[in-house]
Amino acid sequence: NAGVTQTPKFQVLKTGQSMTLQCAQDMNHNSMYWYRQDPGMGLRLIYYSASEGTTDKGEVPNGYNVSRLNKREFSLRLESAAPSQTSVYFCASSPEARAGLNYGYTFGSGTRLTVV
Amino acid sequence: AQSVTQLGSHVSVSEGALVLLRCNYSSSVPPYLFWYVQYPNQGLQLLLKYTSAATLVKGINGFEAEFKKSETSFHLTKPSAHMSDAAEYFCAVSNNAGNMLTFGGGTRLMVKP
């Protein structure tokens, strides 16, 4: 019963370095999401993928790119990391995303990223 | 656009006391509302959700929440706190397109012996 798996769990980057956060789900969900969590600000949506082959910007997309590799996998890339991107990153999935319906999300355990 | 306000970033209760975590939302359409719990170093787990079927929603671990449209509130309660309830709790509202959850800032619940 893996659910949503994120790798790595911890990462330290230097300013300007790049990296990709990986996310995979085994629940056959159509929709996947990337959030960042900062103290006192709750979770903010970075990007989402309503279905395989589609991606859309969320609330805070600047400095990030995403790839929906297949139905299971949704990766988040930081091209040139900045200290402001120090955060905890969560991947989530849900059966689908459409008007008038929301099942809620299943979350991964997070990636704690520090940019120095 | 929808938004969520959680009053009180920290709430402390004694074991056995009532737990009340407050959530107010703004939404231009009938909302879908959620409460999530986050234990240390873990992801968020769904506690309960309101999807317009019933205004009083029961969730896991003895928690419940009542949707009050007139007050635009969705407060989370539990009659008797347990030490294991210590965690951070997030209220969230869905947009009408169903493709985005907007989260409140979170409330950290501390339970004293």
Side-chain angles (χ1 to χ4, degrees):
Chain A
N1 59 341
V4 177
T5 303
Q6 292 183 236
T7 56
K9 293 189 181 303
F10 301 94
Q11 184 71 48
V12 179
L13 289 179
K14 294 182 179 179
T15 298
Q17 287 185 318
S18 62
M19 79 161 294
T20 300
L21 281 63
Q22 307 287 352
C23 174
Q25 53 90 11
D26 62 1
M27 297 170 287
N28 201 37
H29 285 175
N30 286 313
S31 303
M32 298 184 73
Y33 309 83
W34 276 104
Y35 281 85
R36 60 177 288 174
Q37 181 181 25
D38 302 290
M41 302 186 73
L43 282 77
R44 292 179 293 169
L45 182 65
I46 305 171
Y47 271 92
Y48 68 96
S49 171
S51 60
E52 185 179 357
T54 70
T55 61
D56 287 283
K57 294 178 180 180
E59 183 184 356
V60 289
N62 292 344
Y64 305 96
N65 285 299
V66 291
S67 296
R68 184 74 182 266
L69 304 170
N70 47 56
K71 191 171 186 179
R72 291 187 63 249
E73 299 174 287
F74 188 39
S75 62
L76 178 72
R77 183 161 178 83
L78 287 70
E79 291 292 351
S80 178
S84 61
Q85 294 178 305
T86 294
S87 187
V88 181
Y89 291 85
F90 287 100
C91 178
S93 69
S94 67
E96 63 181 300
R98 62 181 174 90
L101 184 67
N102 195 313
Y103 295 100
Y105 300 167
T106 300
F107 282 84
S109 58
T111 296
R112 190 172 296 274
L113 176 67
T114 302
V115 182
V116 298
Chain B
Q2 60 282 347
S3 66
V4 177
T5 301
Q6 291 184 240
L7 294 176
S9 58
H10 292 79
V11 170
S12 181
V13 300
S14 298
E15 192 173 18
L18 172 71
V19 175
L20 171 61
L21 304 182
R22 299 178 186 274
C23 172
N24 289 88
Y25 69 91
S26 69
S27 175
S28 58
V29 296
Y32 281 58
L33 293 159
F34 303 81
W35 275 100
Y36 284 85
V37 60
Q38 184 182 31
Y39 298 102
N41 300 314
Q42 295 186 26
L44 280 70
Q45 300 174 33
L46 182 64
L47 264 181
L48 51 80
K49 62 182 179 183
Y50 167 75
T51 57
S52 77
T55 57
L56 183 62
V57 182
K58 294 187 183 299
I60 61 172
N61 301 336
F63 284 93
E64 62 182 35
E66 186 173 9
F67 171 68
K68 292 187 176 181
K69 185 178 179 180
S70 61
E71 299 177 8
T72 61
S73 69
F74 190 56
H75 301 332
L76 182 71
T77 61
K78 182 175 181 178
S80 176
H82 192 273
M83 296 297 290
S84 61
D85 295 326
E88 189 154 22
Y89 292 79
F90 293 93
C91 182
V93 61
S94 173
N95 66 347
N96 192 47
N99 57 11
M100 189 181 303
L101 284 184
T102 298
F103 287 83
T107 298
R108 185 168 299 279
L109 175 66
M110 294 166 284
V111 182
K112 299 175 292 185

